[in-house]
Amino acid sequence: MVVDQLSEDDVDRLFQALSDGTRRDIVRRVAAGPMSVSGLAAFYAMSFAAVQKHVAVLERATLVTKEKRGREQLVRVNPDGLALARRLLDEFEEIWRQRAARITDLLDEAPGAQAKEPS
Amino acid sequence: MVVDQLSEDDVDRLFQALSDGTRRDIVRRVAAGPMSVSGLAAFYAMSFAAVQKHVAVLERATLVTKEKRGREQLVRVNPDGLALARRLLDEFEEIWRQRAARITDLLDEAPGAQAKEPS
DNA sequence: GTAATGTGCAACCAAATGGTTGTAGATCAG
DNA sequence: CTGATCTACAACCATTTGGTTGCACATTAC
């Protein structure tokens, strides 16, 4: 099953965005409530520009959204992005589960019986 | 909620391993049944050494395991690794869900209750 | 035995990543 | 208005990543 219209590059960006501790922490923080970029930057021992870049990576990965709010830029979590990533992992597990079920069937069936595809 | 004993570096490796299309494809293939490294390499338009490196990345991320089988090395999916990644994503969603529930509560409650959460 | 196959590893290279500093444009406070 | 704050973006740098080729070593086939 293909997940939506996601290109491989989209999936690359999703997981790559999640592969950095600072970015995962940003997602956690904005998941608990929206924050400005500078508000986020205050938490980390790195420059504002670095945090800005992390937010940009998360935005391109559709894990957060930004909205201009006066002179600030409010960062919000995008629940769809997270759900998408989880669904992708579910796909992998589904493939494995089907194989496991097929093997179980083979073991359960009498020897010589043909294996049918489980749902 | 901390997931098991995973270090941040472990999580980095997990998601980083999944951020490459070739590696995700390898996981799909071995999820459907174990394969040798050279068997896998036959599918991709890159050198054997490159595929070997991808498998090594997946192995360090605990997404696959290798087992020596004669002169071959059988690569298998590690369902625990996948389940771990999914659980990590569940954590993020849980944080967001809790916040959403809290907001819903605030909206449901009678007005006059003091809200700590800015809109 | 010799030859072919499967693997591991080192050295190398181009491109991407994660950080920095510096500059400049908006917006808000006084 | 002036000054402080928030953001955007460019240029630069060190390290990592994803690929290559080449060589060494085990195991299997003939």
Side-chain angles (χ1 to χ4, degrees):
Chain A
M1 295 290 176
V2 175
V3 169
D4 288 345
Q5 314 287 74
L6 280 187
S7 73
E8 280 293 288
D9 284 350
D10 291 333
V11 183
D12 285 4
R13 282 186 215 105
L14 243 183
F15 286 119
Q16 211 268 331
L18 287 168
S19 73
D20 180 277
T22 301
R23 284 196 291 264
R24 286 192 302 274
D25 200 66
I26 290 176
V27 172
R28 277 187 219 103
R29 289 191 192 276
V30 300
M35 277 190 136
S36 71
V37 181
S38 57
L40 282 168
F43 290 110
Y44 307 104
M46 66 183 72
S47 69
F48 171 81
V51 175
Q52 205 178 5
K53 279 191 186 179
H54 281 308
V55 172
V57 170
L58 290 169
E59 193 181 17
R60 279 196 319 147
T62 74
L63 284 166
V64 305
T65 59
K66 278 194 303 185
E67 187 195 350
K68 214 172 177 182
R69 195 77 173 171
R71 71 179 151 181
E72 294 186 338
Q73 195 86 254
L74 275 197
V75 183
R76 298 189 155 81
V77 75
N78 179 3
D80 294 346
L82 280 174
L84 224 48
R86 211 173 42 116
R87 260 211 285 168
L88 286 166
L89 291 176
D90 285 343
E91 267 188 58
F92 290 94
E93 285 196 276
E94 178 64 13
I95 295 172
W96 176 81
R97 204 191 58 75
Q98 283 178 6
R99 175 193 160 235
R102 211 172 37 214
I103 290 176
T104 303
D105 284 354
L106 285 175
L107 293 176
D108 285 351
E109 297 293 327
Q114 287 173 331
K116 292 286 272 185
E117 287 304 310
S119 55
Chain B
M1 204 71 80
V2 175
V3 167
D4 288 346
Q5 314 289 73
L6 281 187
S7 73
E8 281 291 289
D9 284 351
D10 291 334
V11 183
D12 285 4
R13 282 186 215 104
L14 244 182
F15 286 118
Q16 211 270 331
L18 288 168
S19 73
D20 181 276
T22 301
R23 284 195 292 264
R24 287 192 302 274
D25 200 65
I26 290 176
V27 172
R28 276 186 219 104
R29 289 192 192 276
V30 301
M35 277 189 137
S36 72
V37 181
S38 57
L40 282 168
F43 290 109
Y44 307 104
M46 66 183 74
S47 68
F48 170 81
V51 175
Q52 205 178 7
K53 279 192 187 181
H54 281 307
V55 172
V57 170
L58 289 169
E59 194 181 19
R60 280 196 320 146
T62 74
L63 283 166
V64 305
T65 59
K66 280 194 303 186
E67 189 195 350
K68 213 169 175 182
R69 197 77 173 171
R71 72 178 151 183
E72 294 186 339
Q73 195 87 257
L74 275 197
V75 183
R76 298 191 155 81
V77 75
N78 180 3
D80 294 346
L82 281 175
L84 224 47
R86 211 172 43 112
R87 261 211 285 167
L88 286 166
L89 292 176
D90 284 343
E91 270 189 56
F92 289 95
E93 285 196 276
E94 179 63 15
I95 295 173
W96 176 82
R97 204 191 57 75
Q98 283 176 5
R99 175 188 161 239
R102 210 169 22 178
I103 290 176
T104 304
D105 285 352
L106 286 174
L107 293 177
D108 284 351
E109 295 295 326
Q114 60 277 29
K116 293 200 69 175
E117 204 64 24
S119 55

